[in-house]
Amino acid sequence: MTDILTQTALSEVRTVDPDHLAGAPLVLAQKVEKQFGTLKVLKGIDLAIPKGEVLCIIGPSGSGKSTFLRCINQLERIDGGALWVSGERVGYHREGNKLYELDDAAIARQRRSIGMVFQRFNLFPHLTALQNIIEGPVQVLGESAREATARALALLERVGLADKRDAYPSQLSGGQQQRIAIARSLAMRPELLLFDEPTSALDPELVSEVLKVMRDLAETGMTMICVTHELGFARDVGHRVAFMDQGQIVELGDPRSVLVDPKETRTKAFINAVRH
Ligand SMILES: Nc1ncnc2c1ncn2[C@@H]1O[C@H](COP(=O)(O)OP(=O)(O)OP(=O)(O)O)[C@@H](O)[C@H]1O
């Protein structure tokens, strides 16, 4: 398996800075398929994401971007192909007519290493910012309240919200809630962070504060897959950009080649439409 992973890593990530090419990819998708009823939503996604990479996924509504993230995080089961995270085969998969399933404990363990930040912040409304952040580390990772609180306070500082530790979500702006949601994900010490349009539910003036936190995070070497409509963010922060359309990755490469000088007609049309 290491050979497959390494070979695929080298063939798929050649456009990435060599510093990001340390060993096997953190995420590997091979011919991943997903359908809802008769609707084929993912039609053979091949992708290798090395540790430390920031991959931005762009594409029109309904192209399967969220579904792909949800498959990585095992919120959806794939119907074909294979997915690995950290060299471990992810949850459910099918080979021929056989369906392989990990037990719930193994799935829970795999999911713990993957953080996900949603469009809607999904904070617990009855818990303060601090309580939202320590909930997972205490309940799931078994950390002491003292240790979890110390780390949560550092994370609040990192997202610029130390003064909001005792505020409830309803007392925070959308941008602040999203920054708490990011801190909450980080508190679980994830190896991989998935962002599903984290700024699209925000008022325009609140977008930049969330993008700044994501930008800072990228600089720490966190592996991130960001589904985003923020082309400026994708250009400045992404190591690579993937353009998805109709369940396929139509174009993949460094941000300049995909966003400024795309080769595919569909990519060009999408970028023009988003810009105007
Ligand atoms: N649970 C589901 N049941 C049935 N169809 C679904 C389900 N989830 C997604 N779909 C459909 O799958 C297709 C892809 O959806 P997905 O949310 O992955 O697209 P997307 O590219 O993320 O779009 P957007 O940018 O609008 O979020 C859409 O046609 C959607 O209606």
Side-chain angles (χ1 to χ4, degrees):
M1 167 129 98
T2 308
D3 281 351
I4 297 172
L5 289 171
T6 310
Q7 279 166 17
T8 310
L10 292 175
S11 63
E12 290 276 323
V13 298
R14 57 184 178 275
T15 54
V16 179
D17 185 307
D19 286 347
H20 295 285
L21 256 179
L26 189 67
V27 179
L28 177 62
Q30 289 186 318
K31 299 191 175 16
V32 166
E33 293 174 359
K34 173 70 190 169
Q35 61 188 73
F36 293 109
T38 56
L39 180 68
K40 291 196 170 169
V41 175
L42 299 179
K43 300 175 189 164
I45 301 288
D46 284 314
L47 197 60
I49 301 169
K51 200 168 168 49
E53 180 171 60
V54 178
L55 175 77
C56 293
I57 304 181
I58 60 170
S61 183
S63 54
K65 307 179 298 295
S66 298
T67 303
F68 182 53
L69 290 191
R70 292 169 63 81
C71 288
I72 294 172
N73 203 18
Q74 302 185 62
L75 294 170
E76 302 286 356
R77 85 173 51 186
I78 64 176
D79 296 314
L83 257 177
W84 284 269
V85 176
S86 303
E88 226 188 331
R89 193 113 185 201
V90 154
Y92 314 103
H93 67 277
R94 209 180 268 282
E95 265 174 33
N97 290 328
K98 271 189 170 171
L99 180 68
Y100 292 83
E101 295 198 65
L102 295 178
D103 61 34
D104 289 349
I107 291 173
R109 178 179 51 73
Q110 289 181 335
R111 289 189 66 196
R112 273 205 295 276
S113 66
I114 304 172
M116 187 147 176
V117 177
F118 299 87
Q119 185 175 350
R120 300 248 157 233
F121 335 113
N122 298 356
L123 296 175
F124 298 116
H126 60 292
L127 299 182
T128 64
L130 181 68
Q131 289 165 339
N132 262 284
I133 298 170
I134 65 173
E135 175 82 5
V138 171
Q139 300 299 334
V140 181
L141 301 183
E143 282 183 17
S144 69
R146 195 174 157 172
E147 183 190 356
T149 301
R151 288 205 308 115
L153 292 175
L155 286 167
L156 279 166
E157 190 84 51
R158 189 158 152 191
V159 299
L161 291 171
D163 57 332
K164 300 290 182 192
R165 54 173 281 175
D166 297 321
Y168 287 89
S170 61
Q171 299 169 316
L172 298 169
S173 72
Q176 290 170 334
Q177 289 185 59
Q178 194 59 298
R179 284 146 67 197
I180 299 291
I182 293 171
R184 184 176 62 172
S185 288
L186 289 173
M188 294 297 285
R189 307 177 195 269
E191 274 192 285
L192 168 68
L193 266 186
L194 309 175
F195 291 88
D196 192 2
E197 299 188 24
T199 59
S200 32
L202 299 176
D203 291 337
E205 72 273 19
L206 303 178
V207 168
S208 62
E209 65 189 59
V210 173
L211 293 181
K212 180 181 180 312
V213 168
M214 292 172 64
R215 199 179 288 256
D216 292 348
L217 203 50
E219 279 175 13
T220 68
M222 173 62 74
T223 313
M224 296 162 56
I225 306 179
C226 311
V227 169
T228 183
H229 293 303
E230 297 291 335
L231 300 190
F233 175 84
R235 184 195 59 220
D236 297 343
V237 182
H239 295 115
R240 285 188 300 169
V241 174
F243 171 67
M244 268 183 83
D245 192 22
Q246 297 180 17
Q248 291 174 316
I249 293 182
V250 174
E251 196 156 350
L252 173 68
D254 64 82
R256 218 201 100 74
S257 69
V258 177
L259 297 170
V260 182
D261 190 20
K263 285 167 198 58
E264 301 293 332
T265 319
R266 279 190 277 174
T267 321
K268 281 181 197 161
F270 175 76
I271 288 168
N272 282 336
V274 171
R275 288 226 166 100
H276 295 109

